[in-house]
Amino acid sequence: MTTPKYVYVYANGHAEGRGDQKELLGGKGAGLAEMTNLGIPVPAGFTLTTEVCTYFNEHNKEYPPGLWEEVLDAMRQTEEAMGHRFGDPADPLLVSVRSGARVSMPGMMDTVLNLGLNDETVQGLIAKSGNERFGYDAYRRFITMYGDVVLGVPHSAFEEILDAKKEEVGVTLDTELSADDLKSLIAPYKALVLERTGKPFPEDPMEQLRGGINAVFDSWNVPRAITYRKLNNIPDHWGTAVNVVSMVYGNRGESSGTGVAFTRDPATGERIFFGEYLVDAQGEDVVAGIRTPLPIAELERQMPEIYRELVEIYQRLEAHYKDMQDMEFTVEEGKLYMLQTRTGKRTAQAAVRIAVEMVGEGLIDEATAVSRVEPAQLDQLLHPRIDTDQPVEVIAQGLPASPGAAVGEVVFTAESAIEEVAKGRQVILVRAETSPDDVGGMHVAEGILTARGGMTSHAAVVARGMGKCCVAGCSAITVDAEARQITVGDRVVREFDTLSLNGSTGEVILGAAKLIVPELSGDFNTLMGWADKIRTLKVRTNADTPEDAANAVAFGAEGIGLCRTEHMFFGEERLPVVQEMILAEDEAARRAALAKLLPFQRDDFLGLFRAMDGRPVTIRLLDPPLHEFLPSREGLIEEVATLRANGNNDGTLAEREALLAKVNHLHELNPMLGHRGCRLGISYPEIYEMQAEAIALAAATLAKEGKQIVPEIMVPLVGTVAEFRYLKERIVKVVEAVKARESVALDYLIGTMIEIPRAALTADRIAEEAQFFSCGTNDLTQMTFGYSRDDAGVFLPDYVEKKILPVDPFQVLDRDGVGQLVRMAVEKGRATRPELKVGICGEHGGEPSSIEFCHQVGLDYVSCSPFRVPIARLAAAQAVLADRG
C-alpha cells in the first residue's frame, strides 16, 4: 500500500506541488509551488496538506503516522536551499507558519512569524545581519505573536508593556525605539508568559515549530473562522493547509519593505497595478492596519529596480493564471521575494469589469467570464448609492475601501452591532481598526468606518468580500470606544447618532444622506447578455404592482411567475369592501361586495399586463385565510371590553361585537393548514369567479388594443385533482363568458401550484387537468419538513449550528427531500402532459444552488424578487456550464 504524502517541498526552483492542487495544498501552498516552478523568487519552504488538518481534527489533535519525519526531511531540504540551519545559534534559519485554505479567508486563521528565535539564535541573527535593533525587533515580535497565537496570552497584554516603554523613553512609534529599548522588552514579555500560562516561554525551536503548526490547524475552528465559513458557505470539512516558509525580512532598514498588491484594482476592476507597501516593516504591519501604508506607485520612486521586477512578475502571474491576482511580497536589503499569489477577492463591480475586459484582452472566453462572477455578488451592484445632487455635510475623508453607500446609527463594537440590528436598527460599525473577531458585526452592519488601515487592511478586504460599504484609514477621526464617541476636530459624534458613508469616495457624512438605486449598464449588460446566451432556464419575477414589474423587466425578467392577488386587497379603498364581503351573511351579499372589487382587480391586472408588454403573467388566485383581512382577534376583544365598560350605546359596541363574532367564527388553530387557497375557492367560488373575470376583462382590453397577452391563472394549495377540476370548470365558464361578451379571441392557461406533498405524489393525475405547474417551495418545504415558517426561526439556527441540517431549508432548497418532490412533480406531470410548463416561485427561485437544481430537473423557469433577477440569470447560466464540466 502506498504511504500517503503529507508534506510538499518547494526549494531551489523546484516544487513538489502544483498550482492546480488547491484542495490539497490550499490556495497559498499551491500558489507558492506554482511560482517556484515558474522561476519566480520564493523563499524555500514546505506545505502540510489539508488532509493533515482533517486527521488532526478527527484524532484528538494527533498527527498521522510518519508526518513528523516528513516535516524534518522537508526542513532539511529548506535549510540546504536557504544556506542556514533551523536552530543554529551562529546562523539560524527562521520560518513563518501560516494557514492556507483552498479559498481565501483573509485574517480568519492564525500566523506566526520569526519562529526559531530564542536567547541564543537571536545573537546569531544579530551577528549575521550586523543589526542589533533588527534582531531584537524580530525577537520581541515573535514572543508577542507566539504568545498570543500559540500560548493564548492576549496581544493587548504585550502591547501594554510596549506602550509603557514608549512612554518611558518619550517616543510615539515602534520604529523610534532603539535596540536597547527593544532588548529590554524581552524579559518582561517572557515574565508575562510565565505569569499567564504557568510555563516558561519555549526556547527549543522544534518545540516552537510543533506548537506553531498545532496552533494554525487549531485556528480552523476558532469562532471567527467558523463564522466566516458560514457567511461564505465554505464547508467545515475542507480544512486548512499549513505553510512553513523561510523568513525574509522587510524590517531591515530603508532598503527593505513589505507590501500587498493586486494585478487590478479590486474595488473597481480598473486595469492598473494596485497595492500598498511599507518600508522597514513586516507583513503584519500592512494587513493589520497598525501603520498607514504608501500606495504601490511610490515604490517606483523609492526602489525603481524592485518596482520594475515586481511589475514584470505581476504581469507574468496574471497572464499565467488568467485572473486577477492578490500578491504579498517582501524586499530584504534590495532583493525581492514573493510570499503569495492567489485569486484576488474583488467587489461585484470589479468582478464584472475584470471578466468582461479579460475577454476583450483575449485572456478568457465568454463562458469563462460568466463563470468568474459569483451570482450572489451581484447584490452589491443593486444596492443604493448616495445622491450627489443633494447637499450633504462631509465631516471627514478616508480611503474608499469598498464601494457603495450606507446610512446607519453609529455603534462601536461588533457585539453592539449584532445586538442593535436584532432590535431592528441599521448600524454603522466604527472601529479604530477591525480585527478578525469583528467579522460578525461587520456582516450585519450597513457599513464599516475605521480610523486606521489602508486599502488592503482587514476591514477593506473583508468588507469587499461581503459587499459592504467601507471607509478605511480615516485619520481625521479619533475613536473612543470606551466613551462610545468619535471626535472630528471640535465635533463629537456619539453612539446612535446617524452617519452616512460613501465607500466610492471615502467621504464620511453627518446625518442620513439620500440614497438612490443604481442603473445597470455597460459591462454588466455585456456579461448578462453572455449569460442569457448560455442559460436554458427562463427567469421570471414575483411582482404584485406595475412598479415592481417594471423594475424586474429592467433587470431582465422574462415574465411574472407569481402575482399574489391578496396584496391588492389591502389598499385603503379596497379593504373596507373586502371586509364587507367577508361579513356578508349570504352569497348574494358577497357577490354584491365582490362586484365593487371587480373594477379594482381589473385595473390591477391591466397595469401588470401593460408593464410586462406581452410577457407571460402568472396570477395566483386568493390564497390566505379570510381572517387576515379583519382586525386582530385580541385587539377586538380588548376594544369590546372597553366599550362595554364605558357603557357605549351609539351602535359602535354592537358593530364591534358582530365583527368579533365573525372573527371568532373564522378563527383557526392552524390557519396555514386551514381554510385557505383552493379550499376557500371551493367554499366561496364567487371569489375566484370575480378574480377570473377581472383577469379576462384586463386581457380583453389589451386584445382590443391589438396587444397580445396569455394570462396564466393559478389555483393555490391544490392537493387533489378533484379540487382543481371543480374550480377550473368555473374559471373556464367565467372567462369564456367574458370572451363572448367582449367579442375578443383570448388565449389563457389554467394551472396550479405544487405546494402540498400530495400534489407532487399525484402530479400525473393533476396534469390531466392543469396546463402548468408552479412549485411553491416555501409551503412545500414547510409541509414536507413539518416546520412552521413563522416559528422555525427559533430552532433552525440551532439545527444548522449542530449540523442536524447543513443549511436553513427555507433559504436553500432541500434537494434530498423537497427536491425529490419537485422532481417527481416534473416527471409525473410530463408523463401525462409532455408539453407541461413547470416553474418555481418560492424564495428558492433567486438562490444560486437552488437554481442549479431547477436546471438539473428540467424546469422551464424560476421566479424571484425583482432585485434577484440578475442573480438568477447568472446562476442559470452557470448551471449549464457546470453540466459541461
Side-chain angles (χ1 to χ4, degrees), residues 303-613:
M303 303 180 190
E305 291 297 324
I306 294 295
Y307 181 81
R308 280 193 287 273
E309 185 181 1
L310 192 57
V311 167
E312 181 188 340
I313 288 171
Y314 99 70
Q315 290 173 344
R316 282 183 65 196
L317 287 172
E318 183 172 275
H320 179 74
Y321 284 102
K322 302 184 187 302
D323 202 355
M324 187 262 278
Q325 295 297 291
D326 168 2
M327 306 169 299
E328 292 180 12
F329 65 91
T330 286
V331 180
E332 183 181 55
E333 295 185 321
K335 181 171 174 54
L336 175 66
Y337 292 93
M338 301 304 294
L339 307 182
Q340 169 182 284
T341 189
R342 63 186 176 190
T343 301
K345 283 191 171 294
R346 63 205 77 180
T347 63
Q349 176 188 350
V352 170
R353 179 173 178 176
I354 290 168
V356 171
E357 290 189 355
M358 282 189 169
V359 172
E361 294 160 21
L363 279 176
I364 59 176
D365 59 20
E366 292 177 3
T368 303
V370 168
S371 70
R372 284 276 172 87
V373 181
E374 287 291 328
Q377 263 194 308
L378 295 184
D379 252 347
Q380 298 174 28
L381 297 180
L382 311 176
H383 293 162
R385 57 187 171 85
I386 288 175
D387 185 354
T388 53
D389 293 332
Q390 299 297 315
V392 294
E393 184 179 358
V394 178
I395 59 172
Q397 178 76 44
L399 299 173
S402 186
V407 176
E409 297 175 54
V410 170
V411 295
F412 291 90
T413 67
E415 293 77 15
S416 291
I418 293 167
E419 187 175 305
E420 297 304 325
V421 168
K423 295 176 184 175
R425 276 189 158 114
Q426 292 184 315
V427 303
I428 300 291
L429 177 61
V430 178
R431 305 285 283 153
E433 72 246 359
T434 63
S435 73
D437 290 327
D438 292 321
V439 67
M442 295 172 73
H443 175 63
V444 300
E446 300 297 308
I448 299 106
L449 170 64
T450 69
R452 296 196 288 271
M455 297 288 284
T456 53
S457 64
H458 175 267
V461 171
V462 173
R464 283 196 293 267
M466 290 180 171
K468 297 284 181 182
C469 166
C470 177
V471 174
C474 187
S475 57
I477 68 172
T478 301
V479 179
D480 187 339
E482 286 191 16
R484 298 182 184 180
Q485 64 183 37
I486 311 165
T487 305
V488 189
D490 57 0
R491 187 190 298 277
V492 176
V493 178
R494 295 183 171 83
E495 186 174 39
F496 303 135
D497 285 352
T498 298
L499 286 181
S500 303
L501 302 180
N502 189 334
S504 301
T505 64
E507 291 174 331
V508 180
I509 297 164
L510 189 66
K514 182 182 177 183
L515 304 183
I516 55 177
V517 177
E519 295 179 9
L520 302 173
S521 59
D523 292 336
F524 175 85
N525 286 336
T526 299
L527 186 77
M528 288 293 103
W530 295 339
D532 291 342
K533 286 192 295 184
I534 294 168
R535 66 184 169 89
T536 55
L537 267 176
K538 299 292 185 183
V539 177
R540 299 193 189 183
T541 190
N542 303 337
D544 313 323
T545 68
E547 294 75 22
D548 284 348
N551 275 337
V553 169
F555 288 141
E558 297 164 294
I560 291 177
L562 176 64
C563 167
R564 305 172 180 90
T565 55
E566 60 269 14
H567 291 178
M568 301 168 174
F569 284 4
F570 285 100
E572 187 177 346
E573 295 179 272
R574 306 163 189 220
L575 188 57
V577 182
V578 174
Q579 292 177 347
E580 178 187 336
M581 180 268 294
I582 295 170
L583 295 172
E585 294 297 328
D586 54 38
E587 182 180 336
R590 275 194 301 277
R591 287 190 179 276
L594 287 166
K596 298 178 187 177
L597 282 175
L598 177 64
F600 290 121
Q601 284 271 270
R602 178 200 60 213
D603 292 345
D604 290 333
F605 300 137
L606 186 57
L608 282 176
F609 292 159
R610 290 193 191 282
M612 296 313 291
D613 194 23

Side-chain angles (χ1 to χ4, degrees), residues 722-760:
E723 288 173 318
F724 183 79
R725 186 184 296 116
Y726 179 91
L727 292 168
K728 178 185 175 185
E729 289 171 357
R730 283 152 181 79
I731 293 167
V732 168
K733 183 177 179 180
V734 168
V735 175
E736 292 299 324
V738 170
K739 287 170 62 178
R741 189 169 72 241
E742 300 294 324
S743 301
V744 295
L746 184 64
D747 291 329
Y748 60 98
L749 302 175
I750 305 175
T752 185
M753 294 188 79
I754 302 294
E755 52 191 334
I756 292 178
R758 192 181 191 281

